[in-house]
Amino acid sequence: MTADEVNNFVIYCKKIQPQSQQEIKRFFEGVITFPYNKELLLQAYLFLNIKHIFPVCYELLLFEKSPIADYTDLGKCDFVYLTSLGKIFIIETKFIDTEATGATERKRRNKHRNKVFEQVITLKSRFSEYWNIKLEQLECAVFTTDSEVAWRGHGANVVTKSVPIDKLEYWRMNYKRLI
């Protein structure tokens, strides 16, 4: 990926993601105060702790946007970051209810695990084709509430990180004291 390709992509991102980092931070802090959606709470945790979870992430380029000229039918990325090494880092998040029990819940968890990996791998491929970026210049990751996803990432070249639900809830309840 040349500097021109990166610059063109960054310019594109700034057009379709007009909110500043500070505005996005305020949005996520609102989610913490009023957590009406577990997936958004997980995304808030990731955004507000990105340097600890994925230290290579340097600048947020897109949040909940399609990287492909706003073709949302081709998939939206939860997060796209520019890395400190000039690569593109795609992150998909998934709140997976690890506390529910029973056969149906085990099936649902497995479906969610498979889906989040499928999403990020598909996005990486589409991203590469659309922007003509070499696959080695694109990194992808999955961030969930389920530590069971860790082993799945190795063979798929996907970085996996997770936060347990109880730790996520503790963080939410104590956010103001923790900063």
Side-chain angles (χ1 to χ4, degrees), residues 89-137:
F89 199 81
I90 304 164
I91 306 170
E92 282 297 305
T93 60
K94 189 72 174 165
F95 186 96
I96 299 173
D97 188 353
T98 56
E99 296 173 340
T101 59
T104 302
E105 290 303 323
R106 280 194 303 274
K107 242 184 201 176
R108 181 176 292 137
R109 273 194 295 278
N110 204 42
K111 182 180 170 189
H112 287 161
R113 289 172 185 141
N114 291 339
K115 184 178 181 189
V116 73
F117 275 94
E118 180 186 306
Q119 282 176 305
V120 79
I121 291 166
T122 300
L123 279 168
K124 180 179 180 180
S125 173
R126 288 180 178 158
F127 201 104
S128 173
E129 289 170 25
Y130 184 83
W131 288 98
N132 200 24
I133 297 172
K134 294 179 182 164
L135 286 173
E136 56 269 14
Q137 294 298 326

Side-chain angles (χ1 to χ4, degrees), residues 25-67:
K25 181 181 180 194
R26 278 194 301 274
F27 167 74
F28 280 129
E29 286 176 336
V31 168
I32 295 166
T33 306
F34 186 66
Y36 58 91
N37 180 297
K38 292 177 181 183
E39 185 80 21
L40 274 176
L41 180 61
L42 179 65
Q43 291 175 343
Y45 181 87
L46 176 61
F47 178 80
L48 295 167
N49 294 285
I50 193 71
K51 295 295 181 204
H52 300 292
I53 300 166
F54 296 114
V56 71
C57 291
Y58 172 70
E59 179 184 357
L60 178 65
L61 298 175
L62 297 175
F63 168 63
E64 285 291 341
K65 298 277 186 198
S66 172

